[in-house]
Amino acid sequence: HVQLVESGGGSAQIGGSLRLSCVVSGDHRMVAWFRQAPGTTREGVAGPGDDGSTSYAEFAEGRFTLSPDTAKNTVYLQMNSLKPEDTAVYYCAMDFFPESGNCTGSGYWGQGTQVTVS
């Protein structure tokens, strides 16, 4: 039974930082981060690219860092230099490529964690 549980969201000031965590249980496959702002479609933030390296959305390049900790079964998303447009619900997902949204397996989502930047 696969479960993904996000945490670490909250309120941040413009220019501030937050670190999101995604604890994974039940299996160990590729995990990516997505986000969805009100009135918009869900978009990829960071995760495995087609070539196996970490892929970042253009808005995340240089500000966000994805880092897995296999010992803790946790995938982190460090977010720095936050902007108001980063306000969204952030989700971690298993089996999805962040660039295309394509699913390579059964596909699992966490419940999401709210990030608000003001």
Side-chain angles (χ1 to χ4, degrees), residues 38-115:
T40 70
T41 56
R42 195 171 297 185
E43 60 181 351
V45 178
D50 292 339
D51 61 357
S53 63
T54 301
S55 170
Y56 293 91
E58 187 175 339
F59 62 80
E61 282 280 5
R63 299 190 300 128
F64 294 3
T65 303
L66 184 150
S67 56
D69 186 333
T70 54
K72 295 182 178 180
N73 296 325
T74 301
V75 179
Y76 300 101
L77 183 68
Q78 177 68 43
M79 305 188 298
N80 300 326
S81 302
L82 286 165
K83 305 175 181 180
E85 50 265 43
D86 294 321
T87 295
V89 178
Y90 285 72
Y91 300 88
C92 60
M94 180 179 287
D95 295 337
F96 290 89
F97 285 103
E99 283 186 73
S100 63
N102 291 337
C103 184
T104 64
S106 300
Y108 301 91
W109 292 89
Q111 81 288 351
T113 185
Q114 176 71 47
V115 170

